[in-house]
Amino acid sequence: MRTKNRLTSTETRYFKPEFQSCPYCNSKLEYCHTVSKKTISTLKGVLTLVNMGYRCSNKNCSHPETVYRSAQADQLSMKHITYGMDVLAYVGQLRFKEHKTRKEIMDILNTEGVTVSERHVQKLYERYSVLLRASAENYAKQEMKKVTELYGGIILSMDGVQPEKGNETLYVIREVLSGTIVAAKNVKSSSTEELMEFIRPVLEFGFPILGFVSDGQQSIRLAFEKLSPDTPYQYCQFHYLKDIAKPAVDSDRKLKTNIKKKLRGIREIEKKASKDVNNLESETALAYTAALRSVLLEDGCPPLELPGIKVFDQTKKIQKSLEKCLDKKGDPFT
Ligand SMILES: [Zn+2]
């Protein structure tokens, strides 16, 4: 356990700019003033960081007023936050990876010697989310750059997910060729105008756009069309297939339900056969009912693999086999 003493034993670190000579005229830089002095809590203790500003010593330099500072010092903490980046990263890890609550995070940090309140934890967590979003955007841009080099442009798709009726809808924009999520936002109304606001920054990244894809939602289609009328537009093939196959999928479901109804009698056969398991007839009957039960669990993968048709085919096969068996043996259930 660390003692609370550690918090007051402040260490002061001085930082100079990373380069020593002027990038414009190559003259030596000289100290002018402190650009920042700030005390931060880190996982290694409380530190005071002094970032010392330097200027070009050449009075005839083209940039005599430019002040150079240490990037390393700036990297240790974010602006307006008195905790180190290491604490920030730790909060993010505890929250996202380990799903700790604010209170739990506060307790952990306090035992690690970082004095923090629940409100501070919340603030750190928000900052972490901002950083995460910024890095996700960078990642998306890199992916879109790669796709553009390969295919000459990107394809954007957009879809809305509403977790519960009446709630906000989460809209997600994806780059289709790479599968990268480019942007996501909770939107209160799904009006064309609001969706345009959401899409616009993505278009402003400036990558050439080969096409847009979405489901049939009109406000999405209009938003894309208004922002970029000349870009080709296509309905999402998955949604299209799902919609067009709906009548077939519905009748298939009815088929499966009917087969299930007809096979309700197997429960009685199972009961009868279980009473006397030590003869071949009972064993055979139970094997058949087990086969039927497993067939009835078939879900298929609609609309390409219809479960009703599958169940129909397989129960037919079982029926045939059963008939053969009865021809040989006589009816085992009487
Ligand atoms: Zn200079």
Side-chain angles (χ1 to χ4, degrees), residues 14 17 35 46 66 68-69 74 118 122 139 150 159 179 205 220 228 232 256 277 285 304 333:
Y14 295 89
V35 283
V46 179
T66 309
Y68 302 94
R69 57 198 284 162
D74 286 340
E118 266 189 65
Q122 175 66 22
Y139 171 77
L150 262 173
D159 202 0
F205 289 154
I220 296 184
S228 182
K256 189 180 164 185
V277 279
L304 297 177
F333 307 126

Side-chain angles (χ1 to χ4, degrees), residues 23-247:
Y24 298 99
C25 71
N26 219 17
S27 307
K28 211 167 169 284
L29 297 180
E30 59 184 16
Y31 175 75
C32 54
H33 61 266
T34 299
V35 283
S36 75
K37 180 177 177 180
K38 122 183 215 194
T39 303
I40 58 166
S41 292
T42 72
L43 294 171
K44 294 193 187 82
V46 179
L47 303 175
T48 299
L49 310 175
V50 181
N51 201 340
M52 300 190 293
Y54 276 64
R55 250 185 218 145
C56 182
S57 57
N58 173 10
K59 298 290 169 264
N60 300 318
C61 176
S62 57
H63 293 76
E65 294 304 314
T66 309
V67 177
Y68 302 94
R69 57 198 284 162
S70 161
Q72 199 202 340
D74 286 340
Q75 269 171 17
L76 291 173
S77 77
M78 269 174 104
K79 257 193 178 172
H80 310 301
I81 280 211
T82 54
Y83 293 92
M85 278 293 209
D86 55 349
V87 177
L88 201 64
Y90 194 35
V91 167
Q93 189 195 318
L94 291 171
R95 180 74 198 101
F96 284 108
K97 265 205 174 151
E98 301 179 22
H99 307 288
K100 302 273 191 232
T101 63
R102 267 191 313 211
K103 167 90 173 61
E104 286 168 334
I105 296 175
M106 178 185 80
D107 291 342
I108 291 170
L109 285 176
N110 284 335
T111 39
E112 300 257 346
V114 180
T115 313
V116 73
S117 67
E118 266 189 65
R119 203 171 52 86
H120 283 137
V121 171
Q122 175 66 22
K123 262 198 170 168
L124 288 167
Y125 163 71
E126 281 163 12
R127 274 299 177 105
Y128 183 85
S129 304
V130 169
L131 281 180
L132 208 63
R133 203 178 314 156
S135 74
E137 192 177 294
N138 275 340
Y139 171 77
K141 277 187 192 164
Q142 276 169 20
E143 289 302 299
M144 288 193 283
K145 193 169 164 246
K146 275 188 221 160
V147 170
T148 303
E149 280 162 9
L150 262 173
Y151 302 102
I154 57 171
I155 296 178
L156 293 177
S157 80
M158 178 159 148
D159 202 0
V161 200
Q162 199 172 28
E164 275 172 53
K165 275 240 149 58
N167 275 357
E168 293 182 338
T169 307
L170 175 70
Y171 277 91
V172 178
I173 299 181
R174 285 171 63 247
E175 197 291 309
V176 176
L177 297 167
S178 58
T180 315
I181 290 179
V182 181
K185 193 186 178 192
N186 267 323
V187 172
K188 278 233 168 64
S189 88
S190 299
S191 67
T192 302
E193 285 67 33
E194 198 159 342
L195 295 182
M196 281 167 73
E197 284 309 301
F198 171 47
I199 299 167
R200 192 172 285 121
V202 176
L203 302 188
E204 282 167 0
F205 289 154
F207 295 101
I209 296 168
L210 304 175
F212 297 125
V213 177
S214 81
D215 63 4
Q217 192 180 320
Q218 206 182 10
S219 55
I220 296 184
R221 228 184 56 217
L222 284 174
F224 276 127
E225 198 179 290
K226 281 190 180 167
L227 285 168
S228 182
D230 296 328
T231 307
Y233 191 91
Q234 185 187 292
Y235 282 140
C236 164
Q237 290 173 355
F238 174 70
H239 283 99
Y240 194 81
L241 180 67
K242 224 170 80 179
D243 289 349
I244 208 170
K246 198 168 179 293

Side-chain angles (χ1 to χ4, degrees), residues 263-275 289 293:
L263 288 173
R264 260 183 212 153
I266 61 175
R267 181 78 200 105
E268 279 307 307
I269 296 168
E270 278 169 344
K271 260 192 202 163
K272 238 186 192 173
S274 321
K275 276 183 195 149
T289 53
R293 285 208 179 270

